[in-house]
Each structure stands twice: as structure tokens, then as C-alpha cells.
Amino acid sequence: MIPAAFEYSRASSVDDALRLLWQHAGSAKVIAGGHSLLPLLKLRVASVERLIDIGRISELRGIGTSSGGGLSLGALTTYRDILDSAAVRSQFPLLIDVVDGIGDVQVRNRGTVGGAVAHADPASDLPAALLALDAEIVVRSQTGERTIPAAQFFEGAFVTAIAENELLTAIRIPSMSGRGGAYAKLEQPASGYSIVGVAAVVGRGGSQVRIGITGVGDVAYRAMAVEQALLASDWSDNAIRAAAAHAADGQVVASDIHADRAYRTQMAAVFTRRAIAEALRRAG
Ligand SMILES: Cc1cc2nc3c(=O)[nH]c(=O)nc-3n(C[C@H](O)[C@H](O)[C@H](O)COP(=O)(O)OP(=O)(O)OC[C@H]3O[C@@H](n4cnc5c(N)ncnc54)[C@H](O)[C@@H]3O)c2cc1C
């Protein structure tokens, strides 16, 4: 189908994008790689008066590392950029697990991390990873910059803490020093989206743990019941299995043509166990 007519502005810089967002707040949407937004416009599930194209703002693209070992991903960083980064490969193997399993080559070449996070699809992979990695999302408007912890950013299916006149500019991830991380997912074979996706970050010797899960509820969440059970355990295989059984606690588990509620609940436990075991191994 052909989308309904819309106005189009190409932003030449972040300041230009912020000016346009301010001027057209409520009636405009940003477009980056277009992989999530364009299908919605074409299907007329979404409509918009104006698209603000940020796709050529070079200052928004790139991967930076801090002296403390943290990572900064510009909003327009593509999945391909992440796969090609030696720093990510050596220090953040969890992110490589995630990105390697996303979509197909075209999606990985064009899809941006900012677009994925701002879109907040309940089955997308990055939100679970960002929760486990304790990431922060940086947003800017004409009035200033805000840094939002991932735990407060994903508010519901396709709903985030970004205001209408704000632009997501970067994602910051703290150092993985002394910790190991892994991502395990059961994917929907046609698209690659998660039926269940689990990110685990574990401190060496089981000193700390953060588990993020996507695909199960209507928004990615931290599996606190699993974390609490693990911290009170001896981290034996049996203890990990018992803790992982709490993966869907407190969630209204999704049920659809790909996985009914009972199967998805069971798979949440299975993939949580796998992610924790691999994160523990990587923590050393
Ligand atoms: C065939 C296919 C398979 C896929 N498989 C997977 C998968 O396996 N796992 C997975 O997690 N995802 C998957 N995806 C989703 C993909 O990851 C996203 O479509 C993509 O990353 C979105 O980025 P984009 O730049 O294309 O966003 P766009 O489509 O341009 O934008 C998406 C939304 O985010 C907003 N937005 C974009 N950038 C910003 C910004 N900087 N600030 C504020 N708002 C912004 C837009 O206004 C829009 O609402 C798949 C997509 C397709 C088409």
C-alpha cells in the first residue's frame, strides 16, 4: 500500500532536528532507517503530518568508548556498525549475541539502535539487553538534555519516556569489567523477532546479577524474582534452573500464533537458564 501524504523535512544537524521537532511537536515524527516506521505508514496503521529525516546527521552515528570501559552508541549507529566494532566484540559479547540474531542482512545494515529503542516493540531484542546492562538513554530537546535509566524508559508496548519534542541522541552502557553477559533467544523464524529473549549480566563469582526479558509481556522487564532467587543460591546448575523457573513471574504472558501462553512461559524459563549459564561462564 501507499502511505497517506505527508510533508518531509531533512534535518541537517541535531540542532536543526530539534528545531523542527519543536516547531512541529505533536504532528511530526522522526525517521531514521525507516525499517519500523515505513511499514506502519504503508499499512496505514500509523499516519503523520510530517517526517523529519535524521538519517544523514553524521554526529549521531558512531561508537565511543570511555576510559572507564563504558560504551556510547550514537542513535544512528546501525546493527552492522556494532558487529564491525572490535571494542564491542571484545568487551560486550552480549551485544554481539543480540545483534547477530536481529532480522536479516538488510535490517542489520539499515536498522538503527535509536530507532529500535524509540520504537519499543514488545518483541524487540535491544530493550532486554539495555535493562540487563543497566544502560542509560540520552534524549535532547531545545530546552536541554535528559539521561533516562533503561529501567524507566520502556513504559509499555510502543511507549517510551521520550517526549514529542525530544530526540534520542545516544545510549550509554557502563563497563562490563568483572562481569559477564550473554543473550539467548527463541526467535520467530520469519522475522527474527523474539518469542522469548533473555539478557543476563552476572558478576564474577555470582556477586551480582541483572536479567532483562523481552517478548514475554507487553514490555521488556527485569526479572527480579529470578535475580533474588539467584543471589540467595549457590549458583549450582540446579539453583540456576530453579531460579530461571521464575522468569515470567508477575507478567501477563503473551499468547499468539507463534507461541501460546504455556509454551512461552516454559520457554522463558529455558532461555533464562541458558543466558545465565553462559553469562556466568563468560564472567570467569
Ligand atoms: C524484516 C524485519 C525484521 C526484523 N527483525 C528484528 C529482530 O529480529 N529483532 C529486533 O529487535 N528487531 C527486529 N526488527 C526491527 C528493527 O530492529 C527496527 O525496525 C530498526 O532497528 C528500527 O530502526 P530504524 O532506524 O529503522 O527506525 P525507524 O523505522 O526510522 O523509526 C522507528 C521509530 O523510532 C522513532 N525514532 C527513530 N529514531 C529516533 C530518534 N533518534 N529519536 C527519537 N525517535 C526516533 C521513529 O519516529 C519511529 O517512531 C526487524 C525489522 C524488520 C523490518
Side-chain angles (χ1 to χ4, degrees), residues 78-272:
T78 64
Y79 298 125
R80 170 52 52 197
D81 295 334
I82 292 176
L83 288 170
D84 288 345
S85 162
V88 178
R89 237 167 230 288
S90 64
Q91 293 166 47
F92 295 88
L94 184 162
L95 280 179
I96 300 295
D97 293 345
V98 170
V99 173
D100 230 2
I102 288 181
D104 50 32
V105 174
Q106 203 176 357
V107 174
R108 293 193 291 272
N109 284 348
R110 294 282 302 166
T112 68
V113 295
V117 169
H119 192 57
D121 188 303
S124 83
D125 297 291
L126 265 183
L130 298 187
L131 287 170
L133 289 163
D134 202 11
E136 292 176 332
I137 289 101
V138 184
V139 297
R140 265 173 69 184
S141 72
Q142 280 205 316
T143 57
E145 185 174 283
R146 295 195 293 148
T147 301
I148 308 167
Q152 290 162 28
F153 184 82
F154 301 104
E155 296 181 341
F158 306 104
V159 182
T160 71
I162 307 180
E164 278 172 347
N165 57 10
E166 284 179 324
L167 186 69
L168 191 162
T169 55
I171 297 167
R172 292 191 194 130
I173 301 173
S175 162
M176 284 293 287
S177 172
R179 306 188 294 163
Y183 188 68
K185 83 166 169 178
L186 173 65
E187 67 178 25
Q188 205 268 78
S191 68
Y193 275 108
S194 278
I195 293 171
V196 169
V198 184
V201 171
V202 174
R204 197 165 290 145
S207 54
Q208 51 170 287
V209 59
R210 293 176 69 94
I211 312 284
I213 299 186
T214 191
V216 172
D218 65 354
V219 63
Y221 62 95
R222 257 183 84 185
M224 307 293 276
V226 178
E227 295 176 10
Q228 281 157 13
L230 276 173
L231 288 173
S233 82
D234 60 3
W235 291 82
S236 63
D237 290 349
N238 281 341
I240 293 174
R241 187 182 302 274
H246 295 286
D249 281 13
Q251 297 299 311
V252 178
V253 177
S255 194
D256 56 31
I257 54 166
H258 305 299
D260 67 17
R261 186 156 293 133
Y263 179 64
R264 197 178 238 109
T265 303
Q266 181 61 28
M267 289 304 101
V270 169
F271 283 83
T272 298

Side-chain angles (χ1 to χ4, degrees), residues 182 200 202 237 240 272-282:
V202 174
D237 290 349
I240 293 174
T272 298
R273 176 173 57 74
R274 290 183 190 173
I276 294 167
E278 181 59 14
L280 195 58
R281 192 188 67 74
R282 289 178 179 172

